[in-house]
């Protein structure tokens, strides 16, 4: 629970540093934003209902002048915090074994990062392949998390998490 919580909070550093944001709202064609500044702002504030203090700070100077950019830090932060909530619920179910949450976290974080990475403007690529490093790593982590959960249920067969809680509860 602490790792995704820490990541959810830590992503706000990207906001304060005005880094690791997404592309221009609405995209760019031939070096010009596809949407007016008013339409870009409206998308963030009215469509996505993002608070004005965030919207105001997503008005940044980029290669195409001043525009509003996707707050990918916020998307990833909310994704991580939702993951924390799901972990807190899942660990109380009778199907979860000790250690499963590690596999779940690897899958959850990686799925979110894979899709959010499409929006980022500062992506690292693997050579000239067009493959984004973070997306390749995300796919590997998804496979690793699923493999870990499968092994945890078939080979390792650790105790169910609820059983451990019962054994350690104060009588």
């Amino acid at each position: 629970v602490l790792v995704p919580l820490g990541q959810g909070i830590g992503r706000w550093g990207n906001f304060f540093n005005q880094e690791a944001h997404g592309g221009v709202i609405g995209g760019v064609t031939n070096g010009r934003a596809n949407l007016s500044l008013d339409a870009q702002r409206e998308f963030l504030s009215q469509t996505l209902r993002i608070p004005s203090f965030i919207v105001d700070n997503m008005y940044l100077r980029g290669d195409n002048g001043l525009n509003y950019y996707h707050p990918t830090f916020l998307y990833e932060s909310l994704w991580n915090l939702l993951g924390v909530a799901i972990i807190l619920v899942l660990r109380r179910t009778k199907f979860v074994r000790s250690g499963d949450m590690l596999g779940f976290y690897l899958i959850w974080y990686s799925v979110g990062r894979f899709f959010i990475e499409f929006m980022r403007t500062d992506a690292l690529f693997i050579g000239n392949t067009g493959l984004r490093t973070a997306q390749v790593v995300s796919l590997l982590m998804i496979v690793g998390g699923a493999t870990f959960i499968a092994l945890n249920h078939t080979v390792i067969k650790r105790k169910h998490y609820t059983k451990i809680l019962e054994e350690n509860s104060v009588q």
Side-chain angles (χ1 to χ4, degrees):
V1 173
L2 293 180
V3 172
L5 179 62
Q7 283 184 308
I9 294 168
R11 278 294 165 196
W12 283 83
N14 297 133
F15 171 70
F16 295 117
N17 293 332
Q18 293 187 330
E19 62 188 10
H21 53 74
V24 174
I25 300 295
V28 175
T29 304
N30 297 325
R32 297 195 58 191
N34 294 334
L35 298 176
S36 69
L37 289 176
D38 288 339
Q40 291 173 21
R41 182 176 179 80
E42 184 177 323
F43 176 78
L44 291 174
S45 62
Q46 300 302 315
T47 304
L48 297 183
R49 304 255 189 246
I50 294 175
S52 61
F53 79 93
I54 295 174
V55 173
D56 293 344
N57 283 289
M58 296 315 299
Y59 184 62
L60 305 168
R61 180 171 301 283
D63 295 338
N64 306 302
L66 284 167
N67 285 289
Y68 288 93
Y69 288 80
H70 278 282
T72 54
F73 83 91
L74 178 64
Y75 305 155
E76 194 166 340
S77 178
L78 293 173
W79 182 257
N80 284 311
L81 295 176
L82 179 60
V84 169
I86 292 171
I87 286 172
L88 291 174
V89 170
L90 280 180
R91 69 185 195 154
R92 299 293 182 177
T93 65
K94 62 181 178 178
F95 305 108
V96 175
R97 291 182 183 271
S98 173
D100 280 354
M101 290 301 98
L102 171 62
F104 171 80
Y105 163 74
L106 291 174
I107 295 168
W108 180 263
Y109 174 78
S110 299
V111 166
R113 182 63 188 260
F114 182 85
F115 288 106
I116 291 168
E117 193 65 25
F118 280 117
M119 291 185 248
R120 299 266 306 260
T121 58
D122 62 345
L124 297 174
F125 291 89
I126 299 174
N128 293 324
T129 63
L131 298 172
R132 294 171 183 248
T133 305
Q135 289 178 316
V136 171
V137 171
S138 291
L139 291 174
L140 293 172
M141 287 175 57
I142 291 167
V143 169
T147 301
F148 179 79
I149 291 172
L151 290 173
N152 200 32
H153 283 256
T154 58
V155 177
I156 303 169
K157 294 186 179 180
R158 295 180 70 169
K159 288 182 179 180
H160 285 92
Y161 192 75
T162 54
K163 196 64 116 174
I164 293 170
L165 291 175
E166 287 173 11
E167 291 171 0
N168 293 324
S169 67
V170 179
Q171 301 293 329

